[in-house]
Amino acid sequence: MSEGRIDRWKNAWDNKKTMWHNDEPQNYPYHCLCLGRIDRWKNAWNKKKTMWHNDEPQKHLVENLDKLTAGKKDARILLPLCGKAGDIMWLYNQGYSIVGVEGVAYVVEEFFNENNLQFQKDEVKEIDGFKFSSQDGRLVVFACDFFKITSDLLGSIDAVYDRGALEAINVEDRDKYVSIMKSAVQGKDFRYLLHGFEYDLAVFQGPPRALHKDLIKNMFDDFCEIEVLSETVDKEFEKLLNLDKCVEIIYLMKPKN
């Protein structure tokens, strides 16, 4: 994690812009999209307390793009809980087709406007949300509760880029999340690039929530071959969160033979 990124986390704590923090235990079901939960994310965007956001593409995405796309120049890539991350436009500008899912509708509209992309906005009643589409059809973002999205709406998916999504959702919603992902890529020669951390859960519970290797195996092993592309001790994150050890892990998954 770059020093600039760490400074953003530190600045968030210094200025009490810590919308992810809660003194109470997290025991509400995210798949119900209770208004309190969604309002917290919307409130964070409203107050620009979005320290997780980055206008630039993530380094591990750039470094592992060929692995993510498996060499497919026309790959269609799913970005769950995408916000308006710099990864979206970077992938789009490489010529790929992008499907995103984001909970806060006005954030999606801002993304298209800020990037000078003409778009069409359609209401999708079955997800109580909207579908935003670029004129060329290569960029589609659904604004809705992620747990209402279906494989039929997502369409054909060649790859998943998961940075900050599985890390962010509540523990009790992980099985539902993986089920949606499995349905989205079923029958495809897909690739799934996943970002995660390993650290002592007795010291810090996230988010970003830890994604230990045994946990990823338990969640994805029934339909994925799992490869660890890199493990990097993150000294800056250790210092920031007062952790004895924090390891950033990049996973690559593909269909199980």
Side-chain angles (χ1 to χ4, degrees):
M1 188 173 286
S2 66
E3 184 176 354
R5 179 62 185 269
I6 290 297
D7 285 343
R8 294 171 64 201
W9 283 83
K10 185 174 186 299
N11 184 62
W13 283 105
D14 290 344
N15 292 291
K16 302 188 186 304
K17 295 181 176 181
T18 53
M19 55 73 61
W20 67 86
H21 173 71
N22 196 331
D23 291 324
E24 300 301 320
Q26 309 287 303
N27 59 4
Y28 40 76
Y30 182 72
H31 61 269
C32 293
L33 243 208
C34 36
L35 289 176
R37 172 69 173 192
I38 294 304
D39 283 348
R40 288 179 67 201
W41 287 96
K42 187 175 181 180
N43 185 59
W45 283 106
N46 288 343
K47 296 184 177 181
K48 303 187 186 304
K49 296 180 179 181
T50 53
M51 44 70 58
W52 68 85
H53 171 71
N54 196 333
D55 291 324
E56 300 299 320
Q58 297 294 319
K59 179 182 177 181
H60 59 266
L61 171 62
V62 176
E63 291 177 344
N64 295 295
L65 180 62
D66 287 343
K67 293 183 175 70
L68 173 64
T69 62
K72 297 177 183 176
K73 299 302 182 183
D74 59 348
R76 198 161 182 265
I77 305 172
L78 172 62
L79 279 70
L81 307 186
C82 62
K84 50 180 178 178
D87 302 313
I88 305 171
M89 278 305 295
W90 186 81
L91 287 168
Y92 177 74
N93 287 334
Q94 304 300 310
Y96 300 105
S97 295
I98 311 301
V99 183
V101 184
E102 164 58 36
V104 183
Y106 87 77
V107 170
V108 181
E109 194 156 343
E110 281 186 353
F111 165 79
F112 278 90
N113 288 328
E114 288 171 0
N115 288 284
N116 299 312
L117 291 172
Q118 293 188 346
F119 63 92
Q120 179 174 326
K121 178 181 178 182
D122 297 302
E123 183 178 6
V124 184
K125 291 184 178 180
E126 63 187 285
I127 56 173
D128 298 320
F130 300 92
K131 177 183 178 181
F132 294 79
S133 308
S134 62
Q135 284 193 322
D136 63 5
R138 282 200 302 113
L139 176 53
V140 173
V141 182
F142 292 94
C144 67
D145 172 1
F146 180 81
F147 293 96
K148 291 184 178 181
I149 204 69
T150 67
S151 58
D152 287 341
L153 284 172
L154 292 174
S156 180
I157 299 297
D158 299 302
V160 177
Y161 173 55
D162 189 335
R163 180 258 170 190
L166 183 55
E167 295 174 297
I169 64 170
N170 289 336
V171 171
E172 61 267 26
D173 294 313
R174 286 173 172 169
D175 287 346
K176 175 65 173 175
Y177 181 91
V178 173
S179 177
I180 292 172
M181 290 304 187
K182 182 177 180 179
S183 177
V185 300
Q186 199 158 16
K188 300 286 292 184
D189 184 23
F190 68 88
R191 297 296 184 271
Y192 191 133
L193 191 67
L194 172 67
H195 175 275
F197 288 107
E198 281 192 343
Y199 54 74
D200 186 353
L201 290 169
V203 179
F204 181 65
Q205 293 79 45
R209 306 190 200 285
L211 298 178
H212 292 205
K213 289 188 284 294
D214 58 347
L215 173 67
I216 297 305
K217 179 176 174 59
N218 288 337
M219 287 194 291
F220 291 94
D221 187 59
D222 69 318
F223 70 102
C224 290
E225 291 184 7
I226 305 166
E227 177 185 359
V228 174
L229 294 181
S230 65
E231 296 183 72
T232 308
V233 174
D234 195 324
K235 293 295 185 182
E236 293 291 341
F237 213 46
E238 289 174 353
K239 182 178 180 181
L240 177 70
L241 297 176
N242 197 28
L243 297 168
D244 289 334
K245 187 174 183 180
C246 179
V247 179
E248 183 183 46
I249 304 179
I250 306 301
Y251 300 93
L252 180 69
M253 296 180 281
K254 61 183 181 181
K256 203 163 193 176
N257 293 329

